[in-house]
Amino acid sequence: MAANDDAEFETFDQDNDARRRIRSHYRTLIQDLQDRKDDLINPESEELEEKLDQINEEFQNVKRPREAVLDSASVNMIANIGRLKAQALSTEFVRFSPAEFASRISSYFGCRPIAHDEEVRISANTWAALGRSAAPLFASTPPLNLMLGSFERGPRAVRERQPRTQRAQDSQNQRETVPNQLTNFNDGDKCEATTEEVDRVLKILKSVFRKRKKISFFEFVINPDSFGHSVENLFYVSFLVRDGLAEIFIDEDLQIPMIRPADSGRRNAVSEEERSRQRRHQTVISLTPGDWKKLVTVYKVRQAQIPPRVSTNNGNR
Amino acid sequence: MSSLEAGERERLINDVVKYLLILDQKKIPIKKADINKHVLKESSKAFPHVIREAAKRLEHLFGISLVELEDKHKGSFILVNNLELDKDSYHLTWSEEEECKQGLLIVVLSIIFMSGNVVTDSQLWSALKKFGVDQDQTHEVFGNVKKLITQEWARQCYLELTTLPNTDPPIVEVRWGQRVHQETTKRKILEYVSKIHGIEDVSHWRSQFADVQKSERAEGDQPTTSSQTT
């Protein structure tokens, strides 16, 4: 800086734009020093000296402290890098240059030889060729890949398949059987109800027989108060006869049909042949309401011997 | 082991052999704890015997060495090919993806070794830029290179990454992983790098060559670590 006060005053008044430009130059230089430190350290490169020349040139324009600070920072950096460069020189370290390695690889495996400074672009093929040539250096084991997958994965896949097919089959069956099952239930209900009733009638027949010894068939089944119940009673009695639990016969003296429970004693006495012959008799009894009324009058049926069920579906009163 | 029947013992040893071979697919070291949990289960006490027998079988049947790692990875195992490998009679074929990765790996390992066995991650990335590989960009061949180098290869023990304490921004040092030391030698890498440079005499690389000689002398004094188990 000039000692002359006038001269100082003159140059002190610097354009803001100019100053900004100077600061920008310095910052670019500093950034470059940071980014390319490894290249600058290379003892074979003269770039560091070039950078120093650039900074010296820039400094000619520096007038104010702010820019001067940037200047000292750059010089500081160059000094540090210079030290590292000197270190690199002094050791026996033959510096390995990644850049050179890259260009050597490109020319060795690639299509054409690359000039030293040229941008290196390593293609996929080159990488693969490089890898192939380097593979024998490594004692690595080839990975074991089983065709059907490792044992860990095997069982799981099978298990998944089985439930699926079973489920498909099951749902099919279910769809088919559901209607059947429903109807079965209904039949069952009917069957059970009928069986219950038949048992009830049998019990009544037995108890009446114990008392009376002779039971007129129509007197037994007719319910003077209800035609419907009379028909039902006939229905249940027919089961008893079919199953051989009751017998209908014509009384010799009265010449009217009688009914009696088939007791075990007599049953055994009758031969199998007779029994089967007996079963082969089939009778159809038709009963109209008119017939029913006549029967009530003729037999003078006052009271139903088979009391009706407590819960009845059809009230025929 | 005496509490186990012979048949049971056989089954366990074979299961461990299978387990090791299959887990080796990922190249991640296999932990003793996992072997006990997934294979031996209640018979974990038999581990020393079982692993010894399994190692023998791998050697005898497949020519594979079972190696236990040290230090940070103590208690895990890797498989190393023990067959005589020679570039003229090299019999293995790899997929193109594997070949490319192998190419990048040799570059990375070379950079590390030739720079004195350790580089910082920033030095490494700066060097890789020369190969068209950038940590911030998706590479057309390798994809997420940063992940490949700092995660995948670190887990597989091809590289060892150490973050230096008390540094800001954090400095990460990158060295060869234990797997590399088992699978190859410094001499082989030096010879390879030399070949690519068109240099016949490896002693041209003075310090690196001295490093090789020093390592070989040290190895000569120690017994080999392959198939050694606790």
Side-chain angles (χ1 to χ4, degrees):
Chain A
M1 282 213 279
N4 192 333
D5 279 355
D6 286 341
E8 216 180 293
F9 213 68
E10 243 173 56
T11 54
F12 206 67
D13 200 6
Q14 201 176 23
D15 191 312
N16 274 335
D17 282 337
R19 288 178 62 201
R20 241 176 262 125
R21 250 180 288 125
I22 294 169
R23 287 202 297 276
S24 158
H25 287 166
Y26 271 116
R27 283 197 203 103
T28 313
L29 270 165
I30 289 170
Q31 188 64 44
D32 202 35
L33 287 171
Q34 278 173 341
D35 286 342
R36 306 198 35 252
K37 189 167 89 164
D38 293 320
D39 295 328
L40 299 166
I41 288 175
N42 191 346
E44 283 165 41
S45 151
E46 302 210 342
E47 252 193 278
L48 198 61
E49 286 87 329
E50 286 165 27
K51 287 274 184 259
L52 189 60
D53 288 337
Q54 280 177 15
I55 285 177
N56 280 333
E57 234 187 88
E58 195 66 44
F59 187 66
Q60 301 303 312
N61 304 323
V62 171
K63 312 282 178 212
R64 306 284 292 270
R66 200 166 158 189
E67 289 73 50
V69 163
L70 283 171
D71 179 77
S72 354
S74 335
V75 172
N76 197 25
M77 280 189 78
I78 290 183
N80 277 328
I81 294 173
R83 177 174 51 86
L84 291 169
K85 188 171 172 183
Q87 276 181 354
L89 257 176
S90 62
T91 63
E92 288 203 336
F93 197 71
V94 173
R95 199 176 154 72
F96 166 76
S97 158
E100 193 181 346
F101 193 31
S103 69
R104 295 276 185 176
I105 284 172
S106 195
S107 53
Y108 196 101
F109 297 102
C111 3
R112 57 195 177 87
I114 309 272
H116 185 69
D117 287 333
E118 204 178 312
E119 261 276 326
V120 170
R121 204 200 141 256
I122 302 180
S123 66
N125 285 335
T126 309
W127 281 117
L130 175 63
R132 257 197 307 277
S133 90
L137 298 173
F138 296 91
S140 54
T141 53
L144 178 74
N145 290 304
L146 300 171
M147 269 176 70
L148 299 176
S150 69
F151 61 83
E152 291 161 33
R153 272 172 261 142
R156 237 179 284 150
V158 173
R159 254 182 267 133
E160 271 178 59
R161 253 184 279 124
Q162 279 178 357
R164 246 184 279 132
T165 51
Q166 274 180 5
R167 253 181 269 132
Q169 283 172 15
D170 278 352
S171 57
Q172 267 182 15
N173 287 340
Q174 273 171 7
R175 257 181 263 122
E176 281 165 23
T177 56
V178 161
N180 291 343
Q181 282 179 350
L182 283 169
T183 53
N184 282 342
F185 274 130
N186 288 338
D187 285 344
D189 276 340
K190 282 200 198 127
C191 277
E192 276 167 27
T194 313
T195 321
E196 271 174 40
E197 279 309 298
V198 168
D199 284 338
R200 190 175 76 101
V201 169
L202 180 62
K203 280 199 194 99
I204 296 168
L205 178 66
K206 281 184 179 168
S207 74
V208 170
F209 186 73
R210 252 179 277 134
K211 282 191 232 146
R212 304 245 301 251
K213 296 295 171 200
K214 276 197 182 191
I215 310 171
S216 155
F217 175 71
F218 283 112
E219 270 185 63
F220 183 64
V221 296
I222 298 286
N223 182 330
D225 303 314
S226 162
F227 172 71
H229 282 142
S230 310
V231 172
E232 270 184 41
N233 296 336
L234 257 176
F235 177 66
Y236 297 136
V237 166
S238 67
F239 276 100
L240 290 173
V241 174
R242 181 198 71 170
D243 293 337
L245 298 166
E247 287 171 0
I248 300 176
F249 60 99
I250 305 287
D251 186 85
E252 286 172 28
D253 306 317
L254 299 173
Q255 290 296 306
I256 54 170
M258 311 290 277
I259 183 170
R260 66 169 169 236
D263 63 299
S264 44
R266 278 212 62 204
R267 267 252 223 97
N268 287 342
V270 175
S271 71
E272 183 64 38
E273 204 188 313
E274 257 194 70
R275 231 183 294 143
S276 57
R277 225 189 310 130
Q278 279 167 9
R279 280 207 202 106
R280 275 193 229 118
H281 285 282
Q282 279 187 18
T283 322
V284 178
I285 300 175
S286 76
L287 193 71
T288 68
D291 294 335
W292 169 67
K293 280 206 186 109
K294 277 194 204 146
L295 283 167
V296 169
T297 317
V298 165
Y299 281 94
K300 296 190 181 68
V301 185
R302 298 269 181 272
Q303 204 186 43
Q305 291 191 1
I306 304 171
R309 267 184 299 163
V310 180
S311 58
T312 48
N313 288 331
N314 40 338
N316 277 345
R317 300 228 153 203
Chain B
M1 269 318 267
S2 53
S3 57
L4 289 171
E5 303 174 334
E8 180 72 12
R9 234 181 293 160
E10 269 301 296
R11 193 181 61 80
L12 284 175
I13 294 167
N14 286 331
D15 283 349
V16 169
V17 169
K18 271 186 258 177
Y19 185 77
L20 292 169
L21 284 169
I22 286 163
L23 254 66
D24 177 59
Q25 285 173 16
K26 298 211 219 112
K27 294 292 173 195
I28 295 174
I30 304 149
K31 296 193 201 140
K32 170 180 172 177
D34 286 335
I35 297 173
N36 279 333
K37 180 173 158 194
H38 293 124
V39 190
L40 294 183
K41 298 179 195 168
E42 306 91 47
S43 311
S44 294
K45 278 211 186 123
F47 182 86
H49 178 91
V50 172
I51 203 73
R52 238 192 332 266
E53 291 301 313
K56 277 192 206 157
R57 255 160 238 215
L58 283 169
E59 183 67 59
H60 183 68
L61 294 169
F62 300 96
I64 289 176
S65 297
L66 182 68
V67 177
E68 186 177 357
L69 300 179
E70 293 164 358
D71 307 321
K72 172 160 101 166
H73 296 285
K74 194 162 169 67
S76 11
F77 299 85
I78 58 168
L79 300 188
V80 179
N81 202 331
N82 210 18
L83 298 177
E84 274 297 313
L85 297 171
D86 164 15
K87 65 169 160 48
D88 295 326
S89 63
Y90 193 65
H91 58 290
L92 295 171
T93 328
W94 305 88
S95 72
E96 193 172 320
E97 188 196 333
E98 285 164 333
E99 286 178 342
C100 291
K101 274 189 183 172
Q102 188 84 60
L104 182 63
L105 181 65
I106 191 77
V107 164
V108 170
L109 295 177
S110 303
I111 292 170
I112 294 171
F113 169 64
M114 299 299 282
S115 307
N117 296 314
V118 58
V119 291
T120 64
D121 61 340
S122 53
Q123 283 171 327
L124 181 62
W125 290 117
S126 152
L128 285 175
K129 272 222 182 86
K130 309 285 187 270
F131 295 82
V133 174
D134 189 321
Q135 66 170 318
D136 297 318
Q137 284 174 10
T138 310
H139 194 269
E140 59 173 1
V141 177
F142 304 113
N144 188 340
V145 204
K146 183 157 186 177
K147 190 171 172 193
L148 173 63
I149 290 178
T150 60
Q151 290 182 29
E152 192 173 319
W153 281 344
R155 287 190 79 197
Q156 293 174 334
C157 290
Y158 279 113
L159 295 176
E160 193 169 289
L161 270 57
T162 334
T163 310
L164 292 182
N166 304 321
T167 52
D168 187 53
I171 298 176
V172 178
E173 289 186 337
V174 188
R175 291 178 174 80
W176 280 13
Q178 290 188 46
R179 185 184 281 279
V180 179
H181 286 287
Q182 291 294 330
E183 289 187 2
T184 190
T185 65
K186 288 177 178 176
R187 182 180 281 271
K188 283 187 184 161
I189 303 296
L190 180 61
E191 284 171 353
Y192 187 76
V193 171
S194 240
K195 182 178 84 175
I196 303 291
H197 277 78
I199 292 168
E200 289 237 357
D201 186 5
V202 293
S203 60
H204 161 84
W205 310 91
R206 272 167 283 159
S207 61
Q208 291 90 338
F209 186 64
D211 187 355
V212 165
Q213 287 179 316
K214 189 170 147 205
S215 300
E216 283 174 350
R217 253 177 276 133
E219 256 171 62
D221 295 335
Q222 280 172 17
T224 55
T225 52
S226 35
S227 302
Q228 256 186 4
T229 55
T230 42

